């Protein structure tokens, strides 16, 4: 995330791989919480930055730095792997453990005491977001864009940049519900507990949400995602992609369901309801299978009619070649002797054509028919 943007947190962004474990939100990256929010769960991440007047209902564990703005309250312990920055009038009901330096403001209450391995400075520190903004704005003002980029990379711990957990201002995060007034985005491979309420919701792939989804606008459920609840929107569009499962009802203005999705409840749509079938290699495979079935049915028909077809083919070939031979060599094609001789020649050659191909059998019959014609002509001459 670029630190040059000075705008507020505009959405609830849950990064990929986020899980809720025993009342704690666990992420691999940073955690940024907007002001005046309520987080009843604990927070575990790399760097944790909490805005002003935020209430955290359980422990905070930060692998890197932890920054708590003014008037924050933490109902639990605060464990920090590096440096900690606490604004004025921060309250911690548990114990504060800091591996690095501690910068603490006025009127801070830590009920079970604190311990820091580095320097301890008691003063009123500048709020975190304000401090970042001041330093970067001064660098950009004097034209030191390279230095600003280096500072941003240093704050992001080098090249290992991970998507942070962004919680907007005035959000309510609890075990039973996640309520925000902004759009919400959930990454991939997440496991969340609680109902999700937002302006619009987009859930990625291979997630499992133990709760329902409700939004004023559009809702999208990604592939192979399981929703243990209802999916409801007032006037937006609900899109359920292939492989997704909704273990409840779906109600929307417009509904789009992809082939392969599973919805166990009732479908309600005020507007259009579309079923989108799969396209691409899978469809080609289905078409090939259907064509193969047709070919299989045709092959059965050919096998059942093969004896008749072979007889008709042989008889047609013999008749046409016999008539050609008679027309060239004999002036009277209606001679009965010739027909009897041809029939006797065909009966004599029938054992010889057993086990041979149709072409060979036809050629043999034709040759014998020609010999029989010559014999008839010699008799007539005599």
């Amino acid at each position: 995330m670029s630190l040059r943007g000075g705008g507020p947190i505009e959405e609830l962004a849950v990064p990929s791989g986020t899980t809720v474990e025993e009342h704690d939100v666990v992420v691999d990256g940073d955690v940024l919480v907007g002001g005046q929010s309520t987080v009843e769960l604990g927070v575990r991440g790399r760097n944790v930055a909490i805005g002003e007047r935020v209430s955290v209902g359980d422990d905070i564990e930060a692998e890197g730095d932890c920054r708590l703005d003014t008037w924050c309250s933490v109902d639990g312990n605060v464990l920090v792997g590096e440096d900690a920055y606490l604004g004025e009038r921060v309250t911690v009901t548990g114990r504060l453990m800091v591996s690095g330096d501690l910068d603490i403001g006025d009127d801070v209450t830590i009920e079970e005491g604190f311990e820091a391995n580095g320097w301890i400075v008691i003063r009123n520190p500048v709020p975190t977001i304000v401090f970042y903004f001041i330093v970067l704005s001064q660098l950009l003002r004097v034209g030191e864009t390279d230095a600003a980029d280096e500072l941003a990379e240093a704050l992001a711990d080098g090249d290992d940049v991970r998507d942070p957990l962004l919680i907007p201002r005035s959000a309510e995060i609890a075990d039973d519900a996640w309520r925000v007034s902004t759009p919400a985005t959930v990454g991939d491979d997440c496991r969340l507990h609680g109902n999700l309420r937002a302006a619009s919701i987009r859930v990625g792939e291979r997630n499992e949400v133990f709760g329902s989804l409700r939004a004023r606008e559009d809702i999208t459920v990604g592939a192979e995602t399981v929703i243990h609840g209802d999916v409801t929107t007032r006037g937006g569009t609900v899109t359920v992609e292939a492989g997704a499962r909704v273990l409840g009802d779906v109600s929307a203005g417009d509904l789009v369901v992809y082939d392969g999705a599973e919805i166990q409840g009732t479908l309600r749509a005020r507007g259009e309801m579309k079923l989108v079938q799969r396209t691409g290699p899978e469809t080609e495979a289905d078409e090939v299978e259907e064509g193969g079935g047709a070919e299989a049915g045709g092959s059965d028909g050919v096998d059942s009619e093969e004896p008749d077809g072979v007889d008709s083919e042989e008889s047609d070939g013999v008749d046409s070649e016999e008539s050609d031979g008679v027309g060239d060599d004999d002036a009277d094609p209606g001679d009965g002797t010739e027909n009897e001789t041809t029939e006797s020649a065909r009966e004599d050659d029938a054992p010889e054509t057993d086990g041979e191909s149709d072409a060979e059998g036809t050629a043999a019959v034709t040759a014998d028919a020609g010999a029989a014609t010559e014999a008839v002509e010699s008799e007539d001459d005599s």
Side-chain angles (χ1 to χ4, degrees):
M1 182 184 67
S2 176
L3 296 178
R4 294 185 180 182
I9 300 175
E10 298 179 351
E11 66 172 352
L12 171 63
V14 181
S16 299
T18 300
T19 58
V20 177
E21 300 176 358
E22 297 180 356
H23 306 291
D24 290 336
V25 179
V26 182
V27 298
D28 294 333
D30 301 339
V31 178
L32 302 179
V33 182
Q36 300 181 1
S37 297
T38 301
V39 182
E40 297 183 4
L41 303 173
V43 177
R44 293 165 56 185
R46 186 171 57 176
N47 297 317
V48 179
I50 307 296
E52 62 179 5
R53 298 181 182 273
V54 174
S55 176
V56 181
D58 213 322
D59 298 341
I60 295 178
E61 298 183 15
E63 297 178 1
D65 297 342
C66 179
R67 299 173 181 269
L68 303 179
D69 211 335
T70 58
W71 296 94
C72 286
S73 64
V74 180
D75 189 7
N77 302 319
V78 178
L79 307 178
V80 183
E82 296 181 5
D83 301 335
Y85 305 85
L86 275 66
E88 61 180 0
R89 294 181 177 84
V90 171
T91 301
V92 179
T93 61
R95 187 174 180 83
L96 174 63
M97 304 289 294
V98 182
S99 299
D101 300 335
L102 174 60
D103 196 343
I104 191 171
D106 297 334
D107 296 333
V108 174
T109 303
I110 303 175
E111 296 183 0
E112 297 185 6
F114 65 92
E115 179 180 349
N117 294 330
W119 292 94
I120 300 177
V121 179
I122 299 177
R123 58 183 177 134
N124 188 12
V126 179
T128 304
I129 302 301
V130 176
F131 174 75
Y132 287 162
F133 178 77
I134 291 174
V135 174
L136 290 177
S137 62
Q138 290 296 328
L139 291 175
L140 295 175
R141 183 175 301 174
V142 297
E144 295 292 339
T145 57
D146 295 337
D149 292 337
E150 292 179 0
L151 177 60
E153 292 180 359
L155 294 175
D157 291 342
D159 296 333
D160 187 12
V161 178
R162 307 172 189 173
D163 295 332
L165 170 62
L166 302 179
I167 299 177
R169 186 181 182 87
S170 302
E172 297 181 7
I173 307 299
D175 190 37
D176 58 344
W178 296 40
R179 295 183 178 91
V180 296
S181 59
T182 61
T185 302
V186 181
D188 303 331
D189 302 314
C190 297
R191 181 183 176 90
L192 304 179
H193 292 269
N195 304 318
L196 188 56
R197 306 288 185 263
S200 63
I201 301 174
R202 181 176 182 83
V203 183
E205 301 179 355
R206 300 178 302 276
N207 297 307
E208 190 166 9
V209 180
F210 293 90
S212 61
L213 306 180
R214 179 176 295 176
R216 296 189 300 270
E217 300 175 2
D218 298 343
I219 298 178
T220 301
V221 180
E224 301 180 11
T225 292
V226 181
I227 306 297
H228 295 263
D230 300 335
V231 178
T232 306
T233 178
R234 294 180 180 177
T237 301
V238 173
T239 303
V240 184
E241 297 183 358
R245 297 178 58 194
V246 179
L247 307 182
D249 300 336
V250 177
S251 177
D254 297 332
L255 180 60
V256 179
V257 180
Y258 283 80
D259 187 17
E262 178 181 351
I263 300 175
Q264 295 188 0
T266 304
L267 301 179
R268 299 184 181 92
R270 302 179 184 90
E272 298 180 352
M273 183 179 297
K274 298 180 181 180
L275 176 60
V276 181
Q277 297 182 351
R278 299 176 181 176
T279 58
E282 295 182 356
T283 303
E284 294 177 358
D286 295 337
E287 292 177 358
V288 169
E289 291 178 359
E290 293 177 1
E295 292 177 359
S299 63
D300 294 337
V302 172
D303 293 340
S304 61
E305 297 177 358
E306 183 176 359
D308 297 337
V310 172
D311 293 341
S312 61
E313 182 180 357
E314 291 181 355
S315 61
D316 293 340
V318 172
D319 294 340
S320 60
E321 293 180 0
E322 287 175 357
S323 61
D324 293 340
V326 173
D328 294 340
D329 299 333
D330 194 356
D332 188 7
D335 191 5
T337 306
E338 178 184 355
N339 294 334
E340 293 177 358
T341 307
T342 304
E343 293 295 334
S344 62
R346 185 185 301 172
E347 293 176 358
D348 295 339
D349 292 336
E352 295 179 0
T353 59
D354 292 342
E356 297 179 355
S357 62
D358 296 339
E360 294 176 355
T362 304
V365 172
T366 304
D368 293 339
T373 303
E374 293 178 356
V376 171
E377 291 177 352
S378 62
E379 290 178 358
D380 292 336
D381 293 338
S382 62

